[in-house]
Amino acid sequence: MRKLATVRVIKNIEPIPDADKIVKLTVDGWHVVASKTDGFKIGDLVVYIEIDSVMPEKPEYEFLRSRKFRVRTIILRGQISQGLVLPLTILPQDKKWKVGDDVTDILGVTKYDPELEQENKITENQGKKKPKNPIVKWLCRFKWFRNWYYPPKISGNFPDWIKKTDEERIQNVPHIFDFIKKNNISLSVTEKVDGTSATFFLKKQPKKNEFGVCSRNRRLVTEDDSYYWTVARNYKIKETLEKLIGDHEWIVLQGEITGQGIQGNKYPIDKGYKLWAFNLITPEKRYSTEEMQPILGEYGIMTVPIVDSDFKLPDTIDDLVEYVQGSSQIVQREREGCIFRNEEKKISFKCINPKFLLKNDG
């Protein structure tokens, strides 16, 4: 589970131009605006709350009510602030806290996740195709009939042998940034597409190969009209994986789906959905985007746009954040951010464009 609230150290404190009452705190790779009256000092142990966290409705968090208690990317006096820094006294004082301690559950912090909300709506109705018969339509108003008409088991757990699609933000792992810099490691850079992630797999079985369709968190057992299964049919993914599996025991294709009803349809599609592949994996390897493009292109499957195939990190994480603030290759607007990888070194992380968050963090 993602650590939304952790114990960290204040690395630096800087003044903000033309601001007398607030300062900029640096915690790992994050910058957070805080009041001078909080009295934070460099080296203090604090609780850092990540963006996209939702705080419980308690008096101590009342200042977040106008934002529905959600920690968002904001801008104050020209300074972008990402996260919330709280004094260590917010935690129970019956133990000695150390850097890295996960205090998410202790503080009752939950994740703001609109993609999961959409996913839940789909999986609740998974397998429930709209009836065409007018009598059946009318009867579906009654719960007893719906329980009888629709099959009870319509979704399952995400396969435990497949890694879910969720990259770590570079601001949370500055040691990885330092390691890459020190060793002059080259990275592949792709555009991060803001849609909903999907996983498709084919696994060899004695009698018949097993094909699976998954949302980010669940397997969708029953074929239906959700965008996950619609994409699987439209792109003939099962047939494609049958051709690509070869001698492998299994093969996995992961990508981002965009279209109407998905994250505000930021890459305008009038009808239907598009798949942007970002992972093709077998037991032996995970293919780079450069390797995937010609392989999947033969079957009409696009990959996420490639930004750079031989990228070297700039001097600081702040410089990297500046780098990702470019235009999307898909549509004329700010891109969400970038994914950085080196398959040989098993390195993978993301950096999100704060300007994108400010405009789309609603």
Side-chain angles (χ1 to χ4, degrees):
M1 185 177 289
R2 180 174 164 186
K3 297 179 180 181
L4 299 172
T6 49
V7 176
R8 306 202 196 188
V9 177
I10 294 180
K11 181 180 176 181
N12 197 18
I13 300 177
E14 300 172 69
I16 298 172
D18 302 318
D20 297 328
K21 297 181 179 180
I22 54 177
V23 291
K24 180 177 78 172
L25 309 180
T26 298
V27 179
D28 286 331
W30 297 105
H31 298 311
V32 183
V33 173
S35 171
K36 286 184 178 180
T37 59
D38 289 333
F40 292 122
K41 301 186 296 296
I42 295 175
D44 279 354
L45 280 184
V46 293
V47 174
Y48 173 73
I49 312 292
E50 284 198 20
I51 53 175
D52 288 336
S53 297
V54 179
M55 306 303 294
E57 293 192 31
K58 293 183 177 181
E60 53 264 44
Y61 309 122
E62 188 64 27
F63 65 96
L64 289 171
R65 181 170 292 278
S66 63
R67 302 174 199 158
K68 298 182 180 179
F69 293 91
R70 178 182 160 204
V71 180
R72 298 172 49 192
T73 296
I74 60 174
I75 188 166
L76 296 168
R77 293 294 185 93
Q79 173 61 50
I80 290 176
S81 178
Q82 294 188 285
L84 177 65
V85 172
L86 300 172
L88 210 60
T89 53
I90 200 77
L91 298 175
Q93 299 300 298
D94 57 351
K95 68 169 288 186
K96 187 174 182 179
W97 300 100
K98 63 183 185 299
V99 174
D101 282 343
D102 182 4
V103 295
T104 304
D105 292 337
I106 292 173
L107 294 180
V109 181
T110 56
K111 187 177 187 299
Y112 172 75
D113 195 342
E115 183 181 348
L116 180 59
E117 291 176 10
Q118 284 187 326
E119 181 183 323
N120 287 339
K121 288 179 182 178
I122 288 172
T123 52
E124 282 172 10
N125 297 309
Q126 212 269 308
K128 300 181 181 180
K129 295 184 178 181
K130 292 182 180 179
K132 296 180 180 180
N133 185 298
I135 297 175
V136 174
K137 280 185 179 179
W138 185 84
L139 286 171
C140 279
R141 297 188 304 167
F142 303 101
K143 185 176 180 180
W144 63 268
F145 181 81
R146 293 195 303 272
N147 290 340
W148 172 81
Y149 185 76
Y150 294 116
K153 182 175 176 58
I154 42 80
S155 65
N157 295 329
F158 191 92
D160 57 10
W161 54 276
I162 301 176
K163 185 177 179 180
K164 291 185 180 181
T165 58
D166 193 11
E167 308 282 351
E168 183 61 272
R169 296 176 189 251
I170 190 60
Q171 290 94 332
N172 285 327
V173 285
H175 62 282
I176 291 180
F177 184 93
D178 294 339
F179 172 80
I180 297 170
K181 282 286 294 179
K182 180 180 179 181
N183 292 279
N184 197 32
I185 296 172
S186 180
L187 300 169
S188 170
V189 186
T190 56
E191 179 175 338
K192 187 178 186 306
V193 177
D194 186 31
T196 185
S197 62
T199 295
F200 309 94
F201 70 85
L202 191 71
K203 193 174 186 180
K204 287 184 177 178
Q205 300 292 355
K207 293 184 179 180
K208 182 181 178 182
N209 288 346
E210 177 188 2
F211 176 65
V213 174
C214 307
S215 61
R216 189 180 64 181
N217 296 291
R218 298 181 179 92
R219 179 176 178 183
L220 309 183
V221 177
T222 308
E223 183 174 350
D224 63 5
D225 294 325
S226 67
Y227 31 75
Y228 302 102
W229 272 103
T230 299
V231 163
R233 289 191 295 269
N234 291 350
Y235 284 87
K236 298 182 179 179
I237 291 178
K238 180 180 179 181
E239 294 83 349
T240 297
L241 295 183
E242 290 277 10
K243 293 174 182 177
L244 294 177
I245 193 167
D247 296 328
H248 304 298
E249 293 180 13
W250 52 262
I251 187 169
V252 172
L253 175 67
Q254 295 178 313
E256 203 80 2
I257 300 174
T258 61
Q260 288 189 323
I262 301 174
Q263 303 289 21
N265 195 15
K266 295 184 180 71
Y267 313 91
I269 299 173
D270 294 332
K271 187 178 180 181
Y273 311 102
K274 285 187 178 180
L275 175 67
W276 307 87
F278 54 72
N279 273 338
L280 182 64
I281 311 168
T282 67
E284 288 73 31
K285 71 177 293 184
R286 182 170 76 172
Y287 291 79
S288 69
T289 310
E290 290 82 0
E291 292 172 319
M292 287 166 50
Q293 274 194 339
I295 295 172
L296 297 178
E298 280 191 40
Y299 304 97
I301 299 175
M302 300 171 292
T303 66
V304 290
I306 296 175
V307 178
D308 197 330
S309 298
D310 187 20
F311 178 75
K312 296 297 177 65
L313 286 179
D315 291 336
T316 67
I317 290 178
D318 286 350
D319 292 333
L320 189 64
V321 173
E322 188 73 26
Y323 169 81
V324 303
Q325 295 174 38
S327 297
S328 170
Q329 294 185 32
I330 302 172
V331 66
Q332 198 63 34
R333 66 180 299 161
E334 289 274 345
R335 63 186 173 213
E336 185 189 2
C338 294
I339 303 294
F340 299 81
R341 288 180 174 174
N342 181 296
E343 299 297 346
E344 183 182 349
K345 301 291 185 181
K346 308 297 184 186
I347 292 171
S348 183
F349 62 86
K350 65 185 176 185
C351 187
I352 304 300
N353 178 358
K355 291 182 179 179
F356 178 92
L357 296 178
L358 288 169
K359 290 179 181 178
N360 300 281
D361 221 13

